[in-house]
Amino acid sequence: MGNVTIRILARQLQLSAATVSKALADSHEISGPTKKRVLEMAAALNYTPNPYASSLRRKKSKTIAVILPEVADSFFSQAINGIEAIAQDKGYHVLVCLTHERSQKEQAILHEMLGGRADGILISVTSETSDPACLLELQEKGVPVVFFDRTCDGIDTARVVTDDLQSSYKATDHLIRQGCRKIAFLAIAEGLSISHQRIEGYKQALEDGGIKFSRENIIACTHDAAENLRLLKKIMSRKDRPDGVIASVEKLAVPVYQVCRELGLNIPGDLKVIGFSNLVTAAFLQPALTTVTQPAFEMGRSAASLLFKALGNKNFSLSQQVEVIPSELQVRESTG
Amino acid sequence: MGNVTIRILARQLQLSAATVSKALADSHEISGPTKKRVLEMAAALNYTPNPYASSLRRKKSKTIAVILPEVADSFFSQAINGIEAIAQDKGYHVLVCLTHERSQKEQAILHEMLGGRADGILISVTSETSDPACLLELQEKGVPVVFFDRTCDGIDTARVVTDDLQSSYKATDHLIRQGCRKIAFLAIAEGLSISHQRIEGYKQALEDGGIKFSRENIIACTHDAAENLRLLKKIMSRKDRPDGVIASVEKLAVPVYQVCRELGLNIPGDLKVIGFSNLVTAAFLQPALTTVTQPAFEMGRSAASLLFKALGNKNFSLSQQVEVIPSELQVRESTG
DNA sequence: TATTTTTACGAAAACGGTTAAGTAAATAAA
DNA sequence: TTTATTTACTTAACCGTTTTCGTAAAAATA
């Protein structure tokens, strides 16, 4: 009923709460026999320390927050798995906070974090995000912040990304070599660093391939799946429709297939498709999807590792730390 | 630097901490003008309450724990999205804890929860789980527990599941009608309630279809993907290989495709396939996969709703609450 | 006017674990 | 033997918020 606290434990043992606390922490101040008694009694009474009392006093929560737009696609799922694996290993808990791509929500979550709910932050920003004010504040308060995948300018801290520019270049280049002359680039919010980088890679490849870049081939998609479908349908119905398309984030790949099916367009005959994607099913799609496969799990692990380095060692600076984990172009039928 | 606490706020305002606390909570004891002053000053100093101090004092954490085997497949991803949506709406935080299908890890996590880290628990148990002791303890301590999808016997609390038996029956029946006579059932741990139910549905459909049930058609898969592949390959290489297969959990569907491709088996010609799956790509696979689509998002939402009902109303009993959200058989080419 | 009630606030004690500072006893050093 | 040190604890303060209880002053009631 009344939870068993450290004082109750202490009373049972005829010891002070301080002694019990230290014994549980395996302090050198406590004798072996006493430690043993304490451990045994703790087990017998099924004592579990109150994490909040501990957090309050020690000013650390043994919790990290993972702030993501969503967890609906494979990329973030895999990343969470990677992060959680490391965190659990370090004895930390993982708070998953979803922003639903709303920068306002993100602000609210970050503001809450100022209260000390988490010792460190892993974040992949929303497509609306631009203002790093809250993150800067957190950083000032000594809460380490690590970006993964989607970063945000204006704040100097560690970022774990993939080689967005290069992989986009490779993807574009591949399409060109396969004969595409009019390549649509499906983008989400252009403000986003990954969008920027990927668009840049696309541009450079076009240039190197002798194709003139045209602004209108950058298709600004939204987060409303239905709307994206409508948009794609419109574009693919035009007489001068693209002969190649790059889906620059995972969620934009499947809709392309969907639209092609509806319009009776053949992939890769009428349209060649590449997706930035972590779908395990990519190889089994009809036709198999050529992907830029991002090392999601690895990125998650790596980001978490950096964060824990900072948490474990106050001298370790996250400044300028950039870890680039390369993506892999996996050529399949959709660009055949 | 030194965090701004409620006392610092109070000093600035020439008020007591108690008054400030009440003002922030919009208590009726505090006058309108004072409340306003407090709110303004709080905003000016960028005050954020320490959640742990609050949790300690109020004995509630405004946090729920979601305990899952993994988050690598679509089912759990979508479920998390559903859960988080509700939780955020109610002002709660979500702690995601992964058990990696290890019952030992699960025990450890649940034991930690005894300390009061979360106000309520949503859990989908591991395939190894059998002993609900920890869950019972939590329940006794007044921590509401809601199962979703994978439940555990021996404890009377709410569970949100899909109609496992019926949907498995329908899937099996469908295969029989399509001409299958030897249907393999790919299962994970048979101890699991969902496995049991799904196998039962399979059995009943066989019986009703006039096909003798054979123990050896229940294929006990593991959580090691490579091993599953080997196992499947062996089975599909036999002369008397199955002419139909039911993948009873999502992660087992793709490997079937993989093995068929390697062995040069045609789906649905040589083998008809149904998967319990939430893959968004199911319709675009080669061939399109017939699925039993589980309402993952809805299940997550529903489970979270039940939990919050219990959290919001101490009189609300989770006992005997069973919510069955039906799955949908979506017939596609793989069983054509 | 005297009394009760209401309003608006403050003092202080929680909540449960940690830790700095202190202390008696035991041991080591001088 | 005396003093210094170490060992193994205890006391009490502290973390920051909430909440119970109290209390002046103001308002309402008698």
Side-chain angles (χ1 to χ4, degrees):
Chain A
M1 193 95 283
N3 240 326
V4 33
T5 71
I6 206 167
R7 283 178 223 280
I8 292 177
L9 238 187
R11 192 158 315 143
Q12 292 289 322
L13 289 159
Q14 309 266 54
L15 288 171
S16 75
T19 304
V20 175
S21 177
K22 288 173 187 166
L24 291 172
D26 200 25
S27 158
H28 64 93
E29 292 182 49
I30 307 299
S31 73
T34 302
K35 279 182 189 169
K36 203 164 150 193
R37 277 182 65 216
V38 171
L39 263 340
E40 281 169 4
M41 184 64 83
L45 300 192
N46 200 12
Y47 168 72
T48 324
N50 181 314
Y52 298 121
S54 173
S55 293
L56 176 58
R57 178 62 226 245
R58 311 191 44 190
K59 302 207 171 198
K60 42 188 61 182
S61 60
K62 282 283 183 177
T63 299
I64 63 170
V66 179
I67 304 177
L68 305 174
E70 271 174 308
V71 69
D73 66 20
S74 304
F75 179 77
F76 287 126
S77 303
Q78 289 172 31
I80 289 184
N81 260 358
I83 292 164
E84 214 271 354
I86 299 276
Q88 212 173 77
D89 192 54
K90 301 276 182 186
Y92 274 70
H93 290 260
V94 177
L95 214 49
V96 171
C97 306
L98 306 186
T99 58
H100 303 286
E101 296 280 11
R102 304 294 314 282
S103 125
Q104 199 186 337
K105 191 79 223 169
E106 190 176 73
Q107 295 285 324
I109 292 168
L110 288 173
H111 187 260
E112 261 219 62
M113 292 299 155
L114 284 173
R117 190 176 285 273
D119 297 342
I121 309 265
L122 283 175
I123 185 170
S124 198
V125 302
T126 77
S127 44
E128 299 175 1
T129 304
S130 51
D131 181 14
C134 256
L135 288 168
L136 282 168
E137 252 182 282
L138 279 162
Q139 203 180 222
E140 266 173 46
K141 288 218 178 180
V143 179
V145 174
V146 174
F147 287 110
F148 75 99
D149 196 45
R150 301 183 181 189
T151 69
C152 169
D153 289 335
I155 170 172
D156 176 21
T157 189
R159 35 201 91 207
V160 175
V161 295
T162 186
D163 56 343
D164 291 299
L165 194 150
Q166 290 82 350
S167 51
S168 185
Y169 182 100
K170 276 193 270 181
T172 311
D173 182 61
H174 172 65
L175 284 179
I176 296 172
R177 285 173 198 279
Q178 293 300 105
C180 296
R181 307 304 296 168
K182 183 169 164 54
I183 301 172
F185 186 96
L186 309 185
I188 50 169
E190 288 187 46
L192 221 46
S193 57
I194 55 167
S195 296
H196 186 73
Q197 293 292 308
R198 291 174 192 179
I199 289 174
E200 199 52 37
Y202 164 78
K203 277 187 186 169
Q204 290 185 12
L206 285 186
E207 193 175 326
D208 292 356
I211 298 177
K212 190 159 162 289
F213 167 74
S214 162
R215 193 95 201 60
E216 65 184 13
N217 284 332
I218 304 283
I219 316 295
C221 296
T222 68
H223 295 294
D224 179 338
E227 200 173 321
N228 289 341
L229 276 178
R230 245 175 289 131
L231 184 63
L232 282 175
K233 209 162 181 174
K234 208 178 81 189
I235 289 159
M236 295 308 167
S237 304
R238 290 205 303 245
K239 213 168 269 138
D240 64 336
R241 61 171 164 69
D243 53 7
V245 62
I246 297 176
S248 78
V249 297
E250 185 169 304
K251 61 157 58 164
L252 298 176
V254 174
V256 174
Y257 274 57
Q258 205 166 333
V259 165
C260 285
R261 181 168 293 184
E262 284 183 39
L263 296 179
L265 292 175
N266 175 266
I267 304 175
D270 299 322
L271 182 75
K272 300 191 197 303
V273 182
I274 289 187
F276 278 75
S277 168
N278 284 67
L279 288 169
V280 285
T281 51
F284 299 96
L285 291 180
Q286 164 70 302
L289 175 65
T290 294
T291 58
V292 174
T293 304
Q294 299 168 276
F297 184 85
E298 273 313 314
M299 287 172 73
R301 278 180 61 95
S302 175
S305 290
L306 276 173
L307 187 63
F308 284 113
K309 268 187 200 155
L311 285 172
N313 175 357
K314 282 296 168 203
N315 295 343
F316 181 83
S317 166
L318 290 172
S319 168
Q320 310 281 7
Q321 292 271 356
V322 178
E323 207 150 309
V324 179
I325 307 184
S327 288
E328 207 181 322
L329 177 66
Q330 297 187 306
V331 176
R332 301 200 183 89
E333 301 162 10
S334 68
T335 53
Chain B
M1 188 95 289
N3 240 325
V4 34
T5 71
I6 207 167
R7 280 179 223 280
I8 293 177
L9 239 186
R11 193 159 312 145
Q12 293 290 321
L13 289 158
Q14 309 266 57
L15 287 172
S16 75
T19 303
V20 174
S21 175
K22 289 172 189 167
L24 290 172
D26 200 24
S27 159
H28 64 94
E29 291 182 50
I30 307 299
S31 74
T34 303
K35 279 182 190 171
K36 202 164 150 192
R37 279 183 62 217
V38 170
L39 264 338
E40 282 170 5
M41 183 64 82
L45 300 192
N46 200 11
Y47 168 73
T48 324
N50 181 314
Y52 298 121
S54 174
S55 292
L56 176 58
R57 177 62 227 241
R58 309 191 47 191
K59 301 205 170 198
K60 40 189 62 183
S61 59
K62 282 281 183 179
T63 299
I64 63 171
V66 179
I67 305 177
L68 304 174
E70 271 174 307
V71 69
D73 66 20
S74 304
F75 178 77
F76 286 126
S77 303
Q78 289 173 32
I80 288 183
N81 260 359
I83 291 163
E84 213 271 353
I86 298 277
Q88 212 172 77
D89 191 55
K90 302 276 181 185
Y92 274 70
H93 290 259
V94 177
L95 213 51
V96 172
C97 307
L98 306 186
T99 59
H100 303 286
E101 297 280 10
R102 305 294 314 283
S103 125
Q104 201 186 338
K105 191 80 222 168
E106 190 176 72
Q107 295 285 324
I109 292 169
L110 288 172
H111 187 260
E112 261 219 61
M113 293 299 155
L114 284 172
R117 189 177 286 273
D119 297 342
I121 310 266
L122 283 175
I123 184 169
S124 200
V125 302
T126 76
S127 45
E128 297 175 0
T129 304
S130 51
D131 183 13
C134 256
L135 287 167
L136 282 167
E137 253 183 282
L138 279 162
Q139 202 180 224
E140 266 173 46
K141 288 219 179 179
V143 179
V145 174
V146 174
F147 287 110
F148 76 101
D149 195 46
R150 300 183 180 191
T151 68
C152 169
D153 289 335
I155 172 172
D156 177 21
T157 190
R159 37 201 88 205
V160 175
V161 295
T162 185
D163 55 343
D164 291 299
L165 193 149
Q166 289 82 350
S167 51
S168 184
Y169 182 101
K170 275 193 272 184
T172 311
D173 182 62
H174 173 65
L175 285 180
I176 296 172
R177 285 174 198 278
Q178 293 299 104
C180 295
R181 307 305 295 169
K182 184 168 163 51
I183 302 171
F185 185 96
L186 309 185
I188 49 169
E190 289 188 46
L192 223 44
S193 57
I194 55 167
S195 297
H196 186 74
Q197 294 291 307
R198 291 175 191 178
I199 288 174
E200 200 52 37
Y202 163 79
K203 277 187 186 169
Q204 288 185 13
L206 286 185
E207 194 175 325
D208 293 355
I211 297 178
K212 193 160 160 287
F213 166 75
S214 162
R215 193 92 201 62
E216 66 184 14
N217 285 332
I218 304 284
I219 315 296
C221 296
T222 69
H223 295 293
D224 179 339
E227 201 173 322
N228 289 340
L229 275 178
R230 246 176 287 131
L231 185 63
L232 283 175
K233 210 162 182 175
K234 209 177 81 188
I235 289 159
M236 295 308 168
S237 304
R238 290 204 304 244
K239 214 169 267 136
D240 64 337
R241 61 171 163 71
D243 52 7
V245 62
I246 298 177
S248 77
V249 297
E250 185 169 303
K251 60 157 61 160
L252 298 176
V254 174
V256 174
Y257 273 57
Q258 205 167 333
V259 165
C260 285
R261 181 169 293 186
E262 284 183 39
L263 297 178
L265 292 175
N266 174 265
I267 303 175
D270 298 322
L271 182 74
K272 301 191 197 304
V273 182
I274 289 186
F276 278 74
S277 167
N278 284 65
L279 290 169
V280 285
T281 50
F284 299 96
L285 292 181
Q286 163 70 305
L289 175 64
T290 294
T291 57
V292 174
T293 304
Q294 298 169 277
F297 185 84
E298 273 313 313
M299 286 172 74
R301 279 181 61 93
S302 176
S305 290
L306 276 173
L307 187 62
F308 284 114
K309 269 188 198 157
L311 286 173
N313 175 358
K314 279 296 167 202
N315 295 342
F316 182 83
S317 166
L318 290 171
S319 167
Q320 310 282 6
Q321 293 270 358
V322 178
E323 207 152 308
V324 179
I325 307 184
S327 288
E328 207 181 322
L329 177 66
Q330 298 188 306
V331 176
R332 301 199 183 89
E333 301 162 10
S334 69
T335 55

